[in-house]
Each structure stands twice: as C-alpha cells, then as structure tokens.
Amino acid sequence: QQQVKQSPQSLIVQKGGIPIINCAYENTAFDYFPWYQQFPGKGPALLIAIRPDVSEKKEGRFTISFNKSAKQFSLHIMDSQPGDSATYFCAASSHAPLSGGGADGLTFGKGTHLIIQP
Amino acid sequence: KAGVTQTPRYLIKTRGQQVTLSCSPISGHRSVSWYQQTPGQGLQFLFEYFSETQRNKGNFPGRFSGRQFSNSRSEMNVSTLELGDSALYLCASSSPGSLGDTQYFGPGTRLTVL
C-alpha cells in the first residue's frame, strides 16, 4: 500500500517557470512532511519541511503548500533554473508513540524527475 | 561539520553471500536510519537505531539486520543475498531532540548482486 502518492513522475519546465509537484497521503497520523532533492550519484538532500499546523512555508525559492483537510501538500519552485534539474521526493512521518519510541521512518513518494530547460 | 559518510561506496557480491555496510553519522547525531532505494520500489525505510537500540523497523525480511555502536556509528548486514537486493543503500542521521525530523543522508552504498 502506497501511503504517499506523488505526481507527476516527470516534469519539464522552461527556465524561470514554476514547477509544481504534488503529493497526497493517507495516514492521518503523519505530522511531518519534508521534501528532498536528489542529484544522480548523491544521497537525498533536505530542501524544506512543514508541519500540519501551518498551511504554507517558504525558504528561498522553494515553497510548500499544505492542505490538511485534503491530505495534500505540494512543492513550488520559483524562478526555476537549470541547476534545479534533479529528482524530487516528498516524504512523511509520524511521531505517534511506537513500541520503541521515537519517530517512525520516512515514507517517501515515488519521486518526480524534473528538467529545467535553458 | 562533516556529513554522513558511508563505506564502501560500491560493492559487487554474488547470490548467497552476505554483506556489511557501514555508516558514520554527523558528529553529535545519535539516531541513524537505513533506507533502500531501487528504481521499482523507490526509497523504503529499513530500520532506525538510537543509542545502540533498534527503535523502529520497516517491512523487510530478517535477512536485513543492523546494529549501532556506542559512538553512534552503524552497520547494516544483509545475509543470503538475492538478486533483488541490488540497490542503493542510504544511511541518514538526525540530531537529538528533533524527534528524528531532519534526516541528513549520506551518499549511499551501491550494492550489485550477481
């Protein structure tokens, strides 16, 4: 069962455009939603993260919009550049107490391969 | 601060063998998580260690195991390797007090099983 659905799988945007990547989740216990960026041959790098008590968060050119009632969140990249071309992953986790305590592991979406054309 | 380091970066094994991967977290980070990344299944959580104890576990068979040492370094072991175990294995560390929120990933170990 895929708990975090990400779309689109791939996206091509012209330089300066605003790519938008969407994610939907099912588990209402999720309370932490990060976005990661991954370049070929590298591990994922945290871009920005949000908790469900806010509807929007901006960090530089990256913005997360969060809709708790719809169980959806999205990533917007302002003034996109060719260097933003990478694979983007949304993820979610919960901090509900488990037998061992602590946060459970991140559940990732399948990823979006983004290409920014010059 | 140095980032998360993983060794080796590349590994080739044959079916039936076992393998041990190593991860050194960011200094001061006590939580270490392991993930498997494949083209088909994407990124999947294996397990998390905190203060030398496995705190959380994903849905993987018992052939996948791990441990954490007193200096927070972690190892994961895969026994009786199968072709489907070919993947990028990623380690992530997080800082104490953050509830494991901000996970910082290493570059991964690329395992190929022949």
Side-chain angles (χ1 to χ4, degrees), chain A residues 32 36 38 41-44 46 51 89 95 98 100-106 108 110, chain B residues 9 35 37 40-43 45 48 55-56 88 90 99-103 105-107:
Chain A
Y32 174 69
Y36 283 84
Q38 187 176 30
K42 304 286 187 181
L46 178 69
R51 290 195 175 274
F89 294 93
H95 295 82
L98 301 173
D104 59 348
L106 290 167
F108 282 88
K110 292 292 189 183
Chain B
R9 291 294 311 278
Y35 293 81
Q37 185 174 24
Q41 298 300 315
L43 281 149
F45 172 69
E48 183 232 359
R55 206 164 51 165
N56 292 296
L88 181 67
L90 293 157
L99 297 180
D101 283 354
T102 306
Q103 295 195 23
F105 284 83

Side-chain angles (χ1 to χ4, degrees), chain A residues 13-42:
Chain A
V13 173
Q14 294 295 315
K15 176 184 174 183
I18 305 176
I20 300 172
I21 304 171
N22 301 297
C23 284
Y25 62 97
E26 300 165 5
N27 187 348
T28 55
F30 286 150
D31 59 2
Y32 174 69
F33 304 89
W35 284 89
Y36 283 84
Q37 177 191 58
Q38 187 176 30
F39 293 103
K42 304 286 187 181

Side-chain angles (χ1 to χ4, degrees), chain A residues 2-86:
Chain A
Q2 185 184 354
Q3 294 195 51
V4 178
K5 294 183 179 179
Q6 182 172 346
S7 63
Q9 279 187 308
S10 60
L11 184 58
I12 300 174
V13 173
Q14 294 295 315
K15 176 184 174 183
I18 305 176
I20 300 172
I21 304 171
N22 301 297
C23 284
Y25 62 97
E26 300 165 5
N27 187 348
T28 55
F30 286 150
D31 59 2
Y32 174 69
F33 304 89
W35 284 89
Y36 283 84
Q37 177 191 58
Q38 187 176 30
F39 293 103
K42 304 286 187 181
L46 178 69
L47 270 178
I48 185 172
I50 197 168
R51 290 195 175 274
D53 53 346
V54 296
S55 60
E56 185 176 276
K57 183 175 181 180
K58 292 183 180 180
E59 284 187 6
R61 296 186 294 109
F62 301 95
T63 299
I64 298 179
S65 297
F66 186 83
N67 186 329
K68 187 175 181 179
S69 61
K71 293 186 287 185
Q72 295 175 347
F73 57 110
S74 60
L75 176 70
H76 298 61
I77 305 176
M78 306 301 179
D79 187 28
S80 58
Q81 302 295 316
D84 296 328
S85 298

Side-chain angles (χ1 to χ4, degrees), chain A residues 38-44, chain B residues 6 8-10 21 34-39 42-44 46 76 85-91 106-112:
Chain A
Q38 187 176 30
F39 293 103
K42 304 286 187 181
Chain B
Q6 294 186 245
R9 291 294 311 278
Y10 302 91
L21 313 180
W34 288 89
Y35 293 81
Q36 181 195 64
Q37 185 174 24
T38 60
L43 281 149
Q44 293 183 287
L46 281 156
M76 71 162 278
D85 296 334
S86 294
L88 181 67
Y89 289 89
L90 293 157
C91 166
T109 293
R110 173 75 62 186
L111 172 65
T112 302

